[in-house]
Amino acid sequence: MQKDTSPVAPPVPLATNTTMGGGWQASASGAPSKSETGPRTFPKAHQRPSMSKVILRAVADKGVRNRVSLVALKKAVASTGYNMTRNSWRFKCVIQKLLDSGMIKQVSGRGYSGSFSLGKEQAKKIRAKRRQQRRRRSGQRRSGQGRSGQHRSRVGSKQGQKQLFKGVRRAAKGRRK
């Protein structure tokens, strides 16, 4: 009895693997099935802002000169949907990264604990944004009429005339004294 030592040929794929999207084999007819033709779509997971953005927003909302404790930052991050028992190591890394980059500064405490406020660069950016918002608001008032809807409705009415007359009388009374 002799053993057969001839090499075995590798199995031939039904279609090329590169055209069919990686290790998937095509059907027996060679044509791709409906599920393999289009791009695969997955249901979108709940999108939440990055942890560093949440931390910066929490510190910025407090103000430039005010400080935020570590516990308050953890609560802010947890309120956006992060599980803080699982992601406490990530939170530490993000805090350290923000401290190293100068976006926030540690006002009190050592290491990971204490309270934090905005760094100089971030404070400048936030001040500039607030100035722009104020300018936009004041520009909207100038473009429209200066009075709110309540006062505007009184201008031609009898009640408006009474208010006007009352103001004139008060002014005249003040001059008499």
Side-chain angles (χ1 to χ4, degrees), residues 48-57 77 80 82 94:
R48 60 173 80 109
S50 66
M51 201 177 280
S52 58
K53 286 183 181 178
V54 174
I55 292 170
L56 282 174
R57 194 177 302 141
V77 171
T80 58
Y82 283 97
V94 169

Side-chain angles (χ1 to χ4, degrees), residues 27-172:
S27 61
S29 64
S33 66
K34 287 182 181 178
S35 64
E36 294 172 347
T37 55
R40 294 183 188 156
T41 57
F42 296 103
K44 284 190 176 180
H46 176 66
Q47 295 281 332
R48 60 173 80 109
S50 66
M51 201 177 280
S52 58
K53 286 183 181 178
V54 174
I55 292 170
L56 282 174
R57 194 177 302 141
V59 175
D61 287 345
K62 214 46 168 158
V64 177
R65 294 188 183 247
N66 294 336
R67 43 174 112 171
V68 184
S69 69
L70 188 77
V71 176
L73 289 178
K74 279 186 177 180
K75 284 182 182 177
V77 171
S79 68
T80 58
Y82 283 97
N83 184 352
M84 288 309 292
T85 54
R86 274 195 191 158
N87 293 318
S88 61
W89 62 273
R90 182 177 286 143
F91 182 76
K92 286 181 185 181
C93 292
V94 169
I95 289 281
Q96 196 61 45
K97 181 182 163 195
L98 290 172
L99 284 170
D100 291 341
S101 64
M103 292 182 154
I104 61 174
K105 63 180 180 181
Q106 193 166 12
V107 181
S108 67
R110 277 189 185 180
Y112 176 59
S113 63
S115 58
F116 304 91
S117 67
L118 280 178
K120 289 184 180 180
E121 292 298 317
Q122 283 300 111
K124 285 180 185 177
K125 286 180 186 177
I126 288 176
R127 284 179 187 146
K129 275 187 182 178
R130 287 186 180 159
R131 277 188 211 126
Q132 286 178 347
Q133 287 173 351
R134 285 181 195 146
R135 286 178 189 159
R136 285 181 193 152
R137 287 181 194 150
S138 64
Q140 287 173 352
R141 285 184 193 149
R142 287 179 197 147
S143 63
Q145 290 185 354
R147 295 178 178 232
S148 65
Q150 207 175 30
H151 293 289
R152 210 180 302 135
S153 64
R154 287 184 179 175
V155 170
S157 67
K158 194 166 188 175
Q159 211 175 17
Q161 287 179 345
K162 282 183 181 179
Q163 289 286 335
L164 183 67
F165 188 67
K166 206 175 195 181
V168 170
R169 278 194 291 176
R170 282 184 184 154

